[in-house]
Every structure is written in C-alpha cells, then in structure tokens.
C-alpha cells in the first residue's frame, strides 16, 4: 500500500545541535521509511527557510549553549505565534535542552540576563551554579521507561498542572529537586535527554511518527512491514539496558 510523504523539519540545526541531538532526526526518518512512508527532511535556521517550516508534519529541535540561544532568540520570538498556533493545532514537536528551555516562558542566564521564550510550556528556567550530568532514567505513563543522558546547568520549574515528560527514577531531571523531567503540552515534548533520545526509546519515536502521520491526513498503521522486524527494537532494548546500568 502506498503511504504518504512526511515532512520533517529540523529546527535551528546550525545553532542548536549538541550531544547527538541530530540523531533524533536520523532515527525518525529511518523508522518512517521502514514503516513504508516517504520522508522529506529539511532545516529551518532563519526567516528565509520559512517555506520549509510551514509544511511541517513534525518538528524536531536540539540543544545548544547560551551563545546559540542568543543567536536564535529574536527569530524564535518572531516565529513564536505561529509555533504556538501549530502546537495548539496538533503539530507534533520534540525539543531538547536549550530549545526546551526557550519553549518555556524565559531563561534567566548566569549573569542575570533574560532570554525570552515562546511559552508553549508554562515553565521557567534559571541558570544554576553546577551541571546536572549523567545517565538518567524516567518513568512515563505514556511511554514506560525512558532512558537518556542529561547534561545541563539550567534549572527548569514547571507551573502547577503542567505535565512532565516523565518522573525521574535515576538522575536529576528538570532541577534535581521535584522529580520531574521535561514537559508535555498536547503533542509537544520538551526534555533535557540527549544521547540521542529516540534511538534508545522507539516507543517515543513511534508516538511522534503516529502524530505526524495523522497531521499529514493519514491513519497510523503500526504493523511492521518487512523492513522493520523485531531485531531492530531488540538492539534498542539492549542499548537501553546498557545505558541504564552505567553509573552517573
């Protein structure tokens, strides 16, 4: 059966792509192809790329240093109303670390400056004095156990009622205090988990793909075609076990 094309957009890859985050785009594209979908992967870095962004069925974004956040902040604020509208309309998004912070209300830097966010998440991040770094595992009602690697100094606090991506089983999470990690808003996921996240967590990858297929006007068919057999996810499970067993 012929399946639809999926338009995947990598958000600010020139400025926000640390610790293997581009691997999330690679695994999404590969799994989509093995499920039988055609994929078009494009980038959005600034206003001239707007034609790519408006066609997005799925948006992926990575982490970056404070300098990267400074470089994108004006453009991201300009794109904010459209990104909020798409989020409300069901466009799936996965944003990591620095972009996760800027999808909140604001990021307060170590020097006391403020980088405005676009408020898709009702959350605020303040620079901490040390780094929260190491392997991390979460528990999620939607995805089960989630395995990743955190490396951040920002301390994020979710507003009351905001759903986290998961609850911390081992590691620090948003701030090392309240047991939350990341945030969820409709079909948008924000998280500090690098590593990259999706190769070790195929349930999250397939959830994002399902939402993208629905966004493109299709019906998600999760049965495995010939190209994606149990061995692929067996390797992912092995990687999850190894990552979860390593000390921080």
């Amino acid at each position: 059966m012929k399946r639809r094309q999926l338009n995947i957009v990598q958000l600010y890859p020139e400025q926000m792509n640390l610790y293997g985050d581009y691997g999330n785009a690679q695994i999404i594209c590969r799994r989509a192809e093995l499920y039988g979908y055609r994929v078009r992967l494009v980038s959005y870095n600034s206003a001239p790329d707007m034609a790519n962004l408006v066609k997005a069925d799925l948006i992926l974004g990575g982490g970056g240093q404070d300098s990267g956040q400074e470089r994108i902040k004006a453009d991201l604020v300009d794109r904010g109303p459209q990104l909020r509208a798409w989020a409300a309309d069901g466009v799936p998004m996965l944003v990591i670390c620095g972009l996760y912070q800027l999808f909140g209300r604001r990021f307060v830097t170590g020097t006391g400056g403020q980088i405005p966010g676009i408020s898709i998440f009702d959350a605020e991040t303040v620079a901490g004095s040390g780094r929260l770094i190491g392997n991390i595992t979460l528990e999620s009602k939607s995805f089960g156990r989630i395995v990743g690697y955190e490396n951040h100094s920002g301390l994020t606090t979710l507003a009351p009622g905001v759903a986290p991506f998961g609850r911390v089983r081992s590691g620090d999470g948003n701030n090392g205090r309240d047991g939350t990690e990341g945030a969820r808003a409709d079909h948008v996921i924000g998280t500090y988990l690098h590593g990259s996240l999706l190769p070790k967590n195929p349930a999250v990858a397939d959830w994002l793909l399902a939402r993208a297929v629905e966004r493109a006007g299709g019906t998600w068919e999760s049965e495995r075609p010939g190209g994606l057999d149990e061995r692929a996810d067996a390797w992912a499970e092995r990687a999850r076990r190894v990552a979860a067993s390593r000390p921080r």
Side-chain angles (χ1 to χ4, degrees), residues 5-226:
Q5 175 175 294
L6 299 179
N7 296 308
I8 313 297
V9 176
Q10 184 78 352
L11 195 61
Y12 302 115
E14 292 181 1
Q15 304 91 347
M16 308 292 285
N17 179 23
L18 285 179
Y19 310 125
D21 291 332
Y22 189 72
N24 291 324
Q26 292 176 308
I27 199 67
I28 278 284
C29 291
R30 184 57 178 154
R31 287 185 76 86
E33 289 167 350
L34 291 174
Y35 276 122
Y37 293 93
R38 293 176 294 116
V39 178
R40 179 174 178 264
L41 176 65
V42 296
S43 298
Y44 176 87
N45 288 293
S46 60
D49 297 333
M50 192 64 189
N52 289 337
L53 192 58
V54 298
K55 298 177 182 178
D57 298 313
L58 171 62
I59 294 174
L60 303 170
Q65 298 174 333
D66 291 2
S67 58
Q69 292 175 304
E70 287 284 353
R71 288 197 297 272
I72 71 169
K73 67 179 184 181
D75 186 78
L76 181 61
V77 168
D78 288 344
R79 302 285 81 77
Q82 185 64 75
L83 287 166
R84 287 193 296 273
W86 283 329
D89 196 39
V91 176
M93 307 180 193
L94 172 68
V95 288
I96 309 293
C97 200
L99 270 176
Y100 163 43
Q101 293 171 349
L102 296 187
F103 269 48
R105 294 194 306 270
R106 63 174 181 167
F107 172 54
V108 181
T109 69
T111 60
Q114 295 188 24
I115 300 177
I118 59 173
S119 298
I120 288 178
F121 302 123
D122 191 359
E124 180 172 298
T125 302
V126 177
S129 58
R131 297 201 72 79
L132 310 181
I133 182 169
N135 293 298
I136 179 172
T137 59
L138 315 176
E139 192 64 37
S140 162
K141 291 182 180 179
S142 299
F143 307 114
R145 187 175 69 162
I146 301 169
V147 178
Y149 188 87
E150 60 182 342
N151 186 354
H152 60 102
S153 58
L155 305 177
T156 298
T157 302
L158 306 180
V162 176
F165 179 41
R167 294 283 174 181
V168 177
R169 292 182 57 185
S170 173
D172 290 308
N174 280 330
N175 49 52
R177 300 186 305 269
D178 64 16
T180 66
E181 203 294 318
R184 292 270 307 269
D186 296 319
H187 293 165
V188 183
I189 296 174
T191 177
Y192 280 113
L193 272 60
H194 296 283
S196 53
L197 171 68
L198 296 183
K200 293 194 292 290
N201 297 278
V204 181
D206 283 358
W207 183 87
L208 289 165
L209 278 175
R211 306 291 80 76
V213 168
E214 293 164 0
R215 173 69 183 176
T219 300
W220 172 248
E221 299 177 47
S222 60
E223 73 276 6
R224 298 175 185 272

